[in-house]
Amino acid sequence: MIKVSDLCRSYGDFKAVDHVSATIERGEVVGLLGHNGAGKSTIMKMMTGFLEPTAGTISIDGLQIGKDTPSIQQRIGYLPENCPVWPEMNVMEYLQYQGRLHGVEEDALNHAVATTIRRTELKEKASQSIQTLSRGYRQRVGVAQAILHNPDIIILDEPTNGLDPTQIRHMRSLIAELAEHATVIISTHILQEVQAVCERVLILRAGKLVVDSTLDALQSGHTLLIQLDNPKAMGYLGQIDGVASVTPRTDSEHHGYALTAAANIAPDVATAVHNHGDKLYAMQPELRDLETVFAEVNAADANVDAMNSQEVHV
């Protein structure tokens, strides 16, 4: 449904987005992640037609940003990071105004506004001036204007910003409901939210796409962690059929090893340990959740910085 090809955005010599390519299918819930300045919001602005790419293309169902921007924008609901709301309006007035901007027919406008207010739990604030609302309620108003016209694509930049725990749970439920009929793209710094609602993640670092994976694939790593009483077990562990590599682990209570393999080798490892008379204290697959992946991305970033620093001093 959405195809991003070799997308770039530069500001002078600075590359905010550097040759990013990805495809997002209809109905997916995708988390767009990265540290501040990684290029997340820039990509979202280009996808919604608010910012022109320096190079590359964005196409949605055969329509292309630039040539077909107005047609694409009619199909998109967008919550920017700093949601622009009119503080002097009340909630209902603002949503009616937004509905007209989105092209909602006048005879359907009141029903659309009422439905959206119910979905975002704004009923008790509907007649209240936006300037009197808390940050969390303002954020809900921003989400409401993004989904008011039932768009095919919903792009939310930090949708849980300012929400309390109860509001966050409701937002998770709302995103799951929206995903039944729309493609949802979410940018957030809160990894737990991505873990809770997304099926797939795209992780950016310094404008480049460094991870494109489903959450299931991230969590199903092929590394087996074991702890033994033998500091010299690498020899026979590396000879087990299916083991690609063995790495000592110093972060374990006993003598730890990480075994990389393409399949489940736990039964063969247990048999080999028993046959060699060693004691097996622990054995478990390594879990690579989002925090683990982020740590790896950070480590790669730090290594690049260190290498660059060394080059400068040479």
Side-chain angles (χ1 to χ4, degrees), residues 17-210:
V17 176
D18 191 0
H19 298 282
V20 170
S21 297
T23 300
I24 299 173
E25 300 297 337
R26 184 184 300 275
E28 279 193 296
V29 183
V30 177
L32 186 59
L33 308 178
H35 299 294
N36 291 332
K40 306 183 301 298
S41 294
T42 302
I43 287 178
M44 288 183 159
K45 289 175 182 176
M46 289 191 285
M47 292 177 70
T48 53
F50 288 98
L51 188 65
E52 291 186 1
T54 304
T57 59
I58 302 169
S59 61
I60 296 175
D61 283 350
L63 302 175
Q64 189 167 312
I65 286 289
K67 182 174 65 176
D68 306 303
T69 296
S71 298
I72 290 175
Q73 288 178 329
Q74 290 177 0
R75 304 177 57 183
I76 291 178
Y78 177 40
L79 171 70
E81 183 177 3
N82 297 309
C83 179
V85 292
W86 281 260
E88 67 277 5
M89 289 184 173
N90 68 38
V91 172
M92 186 169 291
E93 290 171 342
Y94 172 74
L95 292 179
Q96 288 173 335
Y97 174 63
Q98 287 292 326
R100 293 186 178 97
L101 291 180
H102 284 302
V104 179
E105 296 293 336
E106 198 67 31
D107 58 353
L109 183 58
N110 287 337
H111 176 72
V113 169
T115 300
T116 302
I117 285 175
R118 175 185 56 79
R119 295 175 82 185
T120 53
E121 295 190 346
L122 285 167
K123 184 176 181 180
E124 64 182 46
K125 305 292 183 180
S127 60
Q128 193 166 321
S129 173
I130 292 176
Q131 63 189 348
T132 66
L133 299 180
S134 67
R135 184 177 181 181
Y137 274 109
R138 288 193 186 200
Q139 193 74 350
R140 284 205 237 176
V141 173
V143 173
Q145 64 80 28
I147 68 174
L148 180 64
H149 55 302
N150 291 321
D152 297 327
I153 301 165
I154 301 169
I155 299 177
L156 306 175
D157 200 347
E158 300 289 349
T160 58
N161 190 15
L163 302 187
D164 62 34
T166 300
Q167 293 171 331
I168 288 174
R169 285 196 298 271
H170 171 259
M171 185 62 66
R172 290 178 182 176
S173 299
L174 177 59
I175 290 171
E177 178 187 331
L178 294 171
E180 295 177 3
H181 308 286
T183 302
V184 184
I185 302 172
I186 302 169
S187 174
T188 179
H189 289 93
I190 305 174
L191 300 185
Q192 294 92 330
E193 296 309 307
V194 175
Q195 203 90 35
V197 302
C198 293
E199 306 160 353
R200 178 176 160 210
V201 293
L202 305 175
I203 302 180
L204 297 165
R205 186 185 72 226
K208 294 181 179 293
L209 183 63
V210 293

Side-chain angles (χ1 to χ4, degrees), residues 218-273:
L218 281 178
Q219 293 171 339
S220 59
H222 298 293
T223 300
L224 185 69
L225 305 179
I226 65 172
Q227 294 184 32
L228 309 176
D229 64 343
N230 184 353
K232 299 180 179 180
M234 283 186 64
Y236 73 79
L237 292 174
Q239 296 175 1
I240 299 173
D241 288 342
V243 173
S245 65
V246 181
T247 306
R249 297 291 289 262
T250 59
D251 56 350
S252 58
E253 181 180 355
H254 302 284
H255 298 288
Y257 302 93
L259 284 66
T260 303
N264 182 11
I265 55 168
D268 295 333
V269 171
T271 299
V273 171

